[in-house]
């Protein structure tokens, strides 16, 4: 996705607000460890954490989370993060959501404006059933670096629902994509409901009647004012997008395991393939060019910023097999992906960057 000046963001895989880093730091302290040492290791300062517009890349946040797990020994630190999360930790979206009239409406509002604090190439969170079910997109393949991301998101949503509704047993069921890591009892105790691992989706479902409960912090005037500000902020984010930007934004989550077609993307944009081709031609680009450029941008960041196996990256970019990815990577960068990763890590080591 391009910014308004037409420049590629620093990391095409996505970034999040330092608001979430602050929650992780509180969780480390809650576990009885020195969060300051980890901040220094990752080059984070108090000024960074108090800057309202500061963000860090998704890969860096995942490495930070894994380091926190190694430091604390708590593989379920995402649940600790959820317990310590407040509505304000979601920024203006959290403030607006808590003012909604009902619990389901509050959860739907929180998730509707999540782009204001989090952008991920893998997809976007969503709700169905008038806010009764909340869905977190797939971040497969799963590993020790991203389990906690799913945990912390679902736990933060749960904590939010508990605050808004006043009900501790607020959920009917939680489903998690990644397989059990042997902490099933701890998860079911924290969520206070059945938790299914190895499921098709990451989601939580509100218990019957909870969604219709009045929000304990409902404030109609503030809800109207704050949601208007959220809408204006979303408009500013998307205001400079070209048709090509919107295509790239759709392509990234669609790539996983397949090559999206022009017809599929046109349908998602609510237009015809011919009209989409014409609009892209007016911007001096085309669908195949955008597909190739999007794969190139993502490939470079996956190689530099993650430890995903090359076969996993090939799948994430929609290549038929690792050999096809290897060939495309050499065309893009003039070097194999494995050698490129090795060179990058050697350079980081020389610079003392972790």
């Amino acid at each position: 996705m391009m910014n308004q000046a037409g420049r590629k963001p620093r990391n095409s895989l996505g970034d999040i607000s330092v608001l979430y880093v602050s929650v992780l730091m509180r969780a480390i302290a809650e576990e009885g460890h020195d969060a300051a040492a980890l901040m220094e290791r990752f080059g984070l300062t108090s000024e960074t954490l108090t800057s309202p517009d500061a963000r860090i890349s998704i890969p860096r946040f995942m490495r930070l989370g894994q380091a926190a797990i190694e430091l604390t020994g708590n593989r379920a630190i995402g649940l600790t993060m959820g317990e310590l999360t407040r509505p304000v930790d979601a920024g203006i979206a959290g403030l607006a959501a808590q003012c909604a009239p009902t619990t389901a409406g509050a959860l739907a509002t929180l998730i509707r404006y999540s782009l204001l604090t989090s952008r991920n190439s893998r997809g976007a969170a969503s709700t169905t059933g008038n806010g009764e079910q909340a869905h977190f997109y797939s971040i497969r393949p799963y590993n020790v670096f991203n389990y906690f991301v799913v945990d912390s998101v679902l736990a933060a949503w749960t904590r939010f629902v508990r605050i808004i509704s006043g009900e501790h047993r607020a959920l009917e069921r939680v489903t998690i994509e990644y397989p059990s890591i042997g902490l099933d009892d701890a998860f079911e105790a924290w969520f206070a409901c059945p938790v299914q691992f190895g499921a098709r989706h990451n989601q939580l479902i509100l218990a019957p009647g909870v969604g219709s409960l009045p929000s304990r912090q409902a404030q109609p005037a503030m809800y109207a004012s704050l949601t208007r500000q959220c809408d204006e902020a979303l408009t500013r984010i998307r205001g400079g997008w070209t048709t090509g930007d919107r295509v790239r934004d759709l392509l990234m989550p669609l790539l996983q395991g397949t090559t999206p077609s022009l017809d599929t993307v046109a349908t998602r944009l609510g237009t015809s393939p011919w009209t989409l081709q014409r609009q892209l031609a007016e911007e001096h680009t085309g669908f195949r060019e955008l597909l190739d450029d999007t794969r190139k941008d993502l490939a470079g960041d996956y190689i530099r910023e993650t430890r995903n196996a090359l076969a996993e990256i090939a799948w994430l970019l929609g290549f038929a097999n690792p050999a096809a990815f290897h060939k495309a990577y050499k065309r893009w960068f003039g070097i194999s992906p494995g050698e490129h990763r090795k060179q990058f890590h050697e350079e980081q080591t020389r610079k003392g960057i972790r």
Side-chain angles (χ1 to χ4, degrees):
M1 186 169 55
M2 308 294 280
N3 60 25
Q4 293 187 24
R7 295 186 297 272
K8 175 180 169 290
R10 286 184 300 175
N11 195 295
S12 61
L13 304 182
D15 52 46
I16 63 171
S17 168
V18 294
L19 291 169
Y20 300 109
V21 177
S22 295
V23 176
L24 178 57
M25 294 300 108
R26 293 205 301 271
I28 293 170
E30 180 73 11
E31 295 287 333
H33 292 269
D34 184 6
L38 204 59
M39 285 179 58
E40 182 178 359
R41 174 180 164 187
F42 279 80
L44 298 168
T45 65
S46 57
E47 288 77 14
T48 301
L49 296 189
T50 55
S51 173
D53 298 320
R55 295 197 172 209
I56 70 169
S57 72
I58 293 293
R60 189 179 178 202
F61 182 64
M62 291 195 296
R63 291 195 297 271
L64 181 61
Q66 174 58 16
I69 291 170
E70 292 174 351
L71 175 65
T72 63
N74 182 6
R75 291 185 295 161
I77 199 168
L79 301 186
T80 306
M81 292 175 64
E83 186 63 38
L84 298 174
T85 297
R86 308 158 300 178
V88 72
D89 291 315
I92 191 173
L95 297 177
Q98 69 181 355
C99 297
T102 66
T103 297
L107 182 59
T109 301
L110 180 73
I111 293 174
R112 181 166 71 249
Y113 296 121
S114 58
L115 181 62
L116 299 180
T117 53
S118 175
R119 178 188 62 84
N120 196 315
S121 66
R122 306 293 294 277
S126 62
T127 57
T128 55
N130 296 317
E132 301 276 349
Q133 298 97 35
H135 312 276
F136 183 61
Y137 47 87
S138 174
I139 54 173
R140 291 181 295 167
Y142 288 100
N143 52 51
V144 294
F145 289 93
N146 59 12
Y147 292 147
F148 92 97
V149 175
V150 176
D151 302 344
S152 64
V153 170
L154 296 182
W157 289 349
T158 302
R159 176 62 177 161
F160 177 78
V161 168
R162 287 171 174 167
I163 291 172
I164 295 304
S165 68
E167 295 289 330
H168 181 76
R169 294 186 176 275
L171 305 183
E172 178 180 292
R173 186 170 70 256
V174 171
T175 66
I176 294 175
E177 269 192 337
Y178 68 75
S180 170
I181 59 173
L183 299 175
D184 299 33
D185 290 345
F187 274 71
E188 293 202 343
W190 194 91
F191 284 105
C193 71
V195 177
Q196 177 190 357
F197 291 90
R200 293 183 60 187
H201 306 288
N202 299 310
Q203 66 176 350
L204 58 82
I205 301 173
L206 300 186
V210 169
S212 60
L213 290 175
S215 168
R216 301 178 76 188
Q217 301 183 39
Q219 217 302 325
M222 288 305 299
Y223 184 65
S225 175
L226 290 168
T227 53
R228 182 171 63 250
Q229 292 179 52
C230 288
D231 286 329
E232 291 170 352
L234 281 180
T235 298
R236 286 194 297 272
I237 290 173
R238 294 171 171 151
W241 286 14
T242 63
T243 300
D245 295 334
R246 292 189 292 134
V247 168
R248 286 171 60 95
D249 190 58
L250 280 175
L251 280 173
M252 289 189 282
L254 289 174
L255 281 170
Q256 301 171 39
T258 187
T259 300
S261 67
L262 173 66
D263 288 0
T264 297
V265 173
T267 299
R268 294 289 186 98
L269 290 174
T271 189
S272 68
W274 183 87
T275 299
L276 179 57
Q277 284 180 313
R278 176 179 56 78
Q279 291 173 339
L280 292 176
E282 290 173 353
E283 296 175 2
H284 307 289
T285 188
F287 181 76
R288 289 186 179 277
E289 180 182 352
L290 285 170
L291 175 61
D292 195 61
D293 287 346
T294 301
R295 279 174 158 165
K296 177 182 178 181
D297 289 342
L298 291 170
D301 283 335
Y302 273 124
I303 289 297
R304 289 189 298 269
E305 302 290 344
T306 78
R307 299 183 185 179
N308 290 86
L310 299 185
E312 293 173 343
I313 297 174
W315 180 85
L316 287 166
L317 298 180
F319 284 99
N321 51 61
F325 166 59
H326 189 277
K327 181 178 179 181
Y329 201 92
K330 290 197 73 173
R331 172 170 59 83
W332 291 327
F333 299 104
I335 189 174
S336 72
E339 185 61 27
H340 203 180
R341 173 175 275 174
K342 179 182 177 182
Q343 288 184 4
F344 178 74
H345 287 168
E346 288 174 348
E347 180 182 355
Q348 296 294 90
T349 300
R350 286 196 301 272
K351 294 180 178 178
I353 299 175
R354 303 184 184 186

